[in-house]
DNA sequence: CAAGTCACAATGCAAATGCACGGTAAAGAC
DNA sequence: GTCTTTACCGTGCATTTGCATTGTGACTTG
């Protein structure tokens, strides 16, 4: 074997270029040459590591998914062994909102891919599994918190579904400029209180405009 | 003037072809020739009515927006002059969920355009205004319903923001196959009850799987 | 009927696209 | 040393792209 090159590393570098372009200019005008230019390499190299454009795209979306998963795992570990259910749920979901540059970029990529994979369902299968797990986790956390009485509150799995979908919708509205980050956070926090039936703890109602 | 042709009509026919393609195959591979073929016309005709591809796209998104607005207006009129606030809110928001073929198609187009316009903010400005109005309307409805005591409920505008974003997120998850329509409806209904602080009215918890 | 205007068709074209392919150099195997 | 494998480059190519341009027939107006 000649020059030792870790394929995964190189491919990930290229996937990074893809993501930058997807976030900055949109998925549509991503070409092999454009990716090569963005990554600062030759086009032959891109071809060397990805036989086809679709393969490159699939890999890139997989990288995004793994990163999100990693971030969630990190955040989870950071909470310790026996975190309070509500704190855990809040931490994980908040991690999905586009509240800083990195997550804003990832959100854009995610949005682009959501539209893309709405047409190519094969690509969205792993992502689907990921959100399913998240929903399941939330259901458990919610159930653990309010075992006693869940009066007229929605059932735990409905509450979990609502939280996940709400975060998705809020993210989308932030990314498209329909909402400011602080508005999104306010709505999210309020919903968290609803789902866990927890203390109102004086929602500050700080509403920064755009 | 020779042959009388209503430009708006022809352009809308073409926009319909664009929307069908966007929903079926995605925005990315829409070409002028492809649109022409889908509409069953020559490519010269497409060029005749749209000077440029971007112009065609802008027009198509505008049509989608106007249709949604029209549907909301119709639904609103259908409710009579003095509808109950909660009924009105439910009807309008439910109109936005992809619960039948037509709205499923429109949802796909909307998702594609959301991703597209996340990169071209100029196109998303009118759409932004539209959701702003919807949010405002909901705020009024919510405030009207629970004037008396709004104990630990989130403030009316936060509740409105939450509803709109939730519907958006639920739609997205339905369109990408993460949720079934009935799951989405269940979550939506539950949230409506939260926002309006209304009767639990026995959420049937019917959860059809995908 | 002459003239002008407009709807639409057909072709052309430069640019960009994804990909195939051959070449080169370097690093290990022997 | 030779040989083989691999990383990477460069070019070529058929296809597709958006758009310009020119042509043609139908219709209205004078």
């Amino acid at each position: 074997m000649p020059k030792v090159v870790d394929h995964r590393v190189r491919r990930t570098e290229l996937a990074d270029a893809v993501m930058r372009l997807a976030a900055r200019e949109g998925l549509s005008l991503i070409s092999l040459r454009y990716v090569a230019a963005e990554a600062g390499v030759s086009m032959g190299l891109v071809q060397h590591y990805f036989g086809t454009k679709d393969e490159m795209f699939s890999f890139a979306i997989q990288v995004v998914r793994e990163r999100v998963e990693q971030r969630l795992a990190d955040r989870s570990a950071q909470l310790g062994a026996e975190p309070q259910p509500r704190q855990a749920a809040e931490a994980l979901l908040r991690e999905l909102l586009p509240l800083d540059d990195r997550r804003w970029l990832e959100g854009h990529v995610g949005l682009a891919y959501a539209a893309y994979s709405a047409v190519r369902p094969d690509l969205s299968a792993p992502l689907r599994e990921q959100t399913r797990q998240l929903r399941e986790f939330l259901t458990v956390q919610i159930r653990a918190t309010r075992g006693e009485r869940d009066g007229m509150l929605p059932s735990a799995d409905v509450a979990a579904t609502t939280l996940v979908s709400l975060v998705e919708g809020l993210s989308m509205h932030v990314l498209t400029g329909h909402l400011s980050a602080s508005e999104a956070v306010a709505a999210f926090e309020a919903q968290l209180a609803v789902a866990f039936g927890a203390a109102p703890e004086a929602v500050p109602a700080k509403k920064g405009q755009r």
Side-chain angles (χ1 to χ4, degrees), chain A:
Chain A
M1 275 167 280
K3 221 205 291 196
V4 187
V5 173
D6 187 337
H7 269 226
R8 177 165 307 256
V9 170
R10 272 269 189 284
R11 283 159 69 101
T12 304
E13 287 172 14
L14 294 176
D16 273 323
V18 170
M19 284 158 42
R20 260 175 283 144
L21 288 180
R24 176 151 27 98
E25 328 247 14
L27 262 189
S28 52
L29 52 79
I30 290 186
S31 71
L32 295 185
R33 284 161 237 263
Y34 206 176
V35 170
E38 170 73 22
V41 301
S42 84
M43 190 189 145
L45 189 144
V46 177
Q47 265 195 106
H48 183 65
Y49 285 99
F50 297 108
T52 195
K53 193 187 175 182
D54 266 342
E55 189 188 335
M56 184 179 77
F57 271 53
S58 318
F59 183 80
I61 190 176
Q62 187 186 336
V63 168
V64 175
R65 200 173 45 76
E66 284 172 359
R67 287 217 185 130
V68 171
E69 202 162 314
Q70 187 60 46
R71 274 224 323 273
L72 293 187
D74 288 352
R75 197 75 185 81
S76 185
Q78 189 179 332
L79 288 173
E82 290 282 346
Q84 293 195 10
R86 181 183 163 156
Q87 250 88 33
E90 170 162 9
L92 292 194
L93 286 171
R94 189 187 268 270
E95 204 66 37
L96 295 177
L97 288 172
L99 299 180
D100 58 26
D101 288 356
R102 193 176 35 140
R103 282 175 288 171
W104 189 87
L105 190 144
E106 273 185 22
H108 266 283
V109 178
L111 183 53
Y113 271 120
Y116 184 66
S117 68
V119 179
R120 328 205 28 158
D122 48 315
L123 288 186
S124 70
L127 195 134
R128 199 152 47 224
E129 170 61 16
Q130 194 169 1
T131 70
R132 198 195 57 77
Q133 281 183 14
L134 179 59
R135 219 162 5 127
E136 207 166 81
F137 172 80
L138 288 177
T139 304
V140 172
Q141 301 304 308
I142 293 174
R143 238 194 278 276
T145 298
R146 42 148 143 129
E148 59 281 16
R149 56 104 195 84
D150 53 6
M152 61 182 214
L153 290 172
S155 72
D157 56 339
V158 168
T161 299
T162 301
L163 273 175
V164 173
S165 293
L166 175 65
V167 166
E168 198 91 34
L170 288 171
S171 298
M172 188 167 153
H173 276 164
V174 169
L175 292 173
T176 53
H178 293 203
L179 286 179
S180 70
S182 50
E183 285 174 311
V185 169
F188 166 62
E189 297 285 353
Q191 187 62 27
L192 213 61
V194 169
F196 284 87
E201 56 176 318
V203 192
K206 180 209 294 179
K207 38 194 268 191
Q209 213 52 257
R210 171 73 185 130

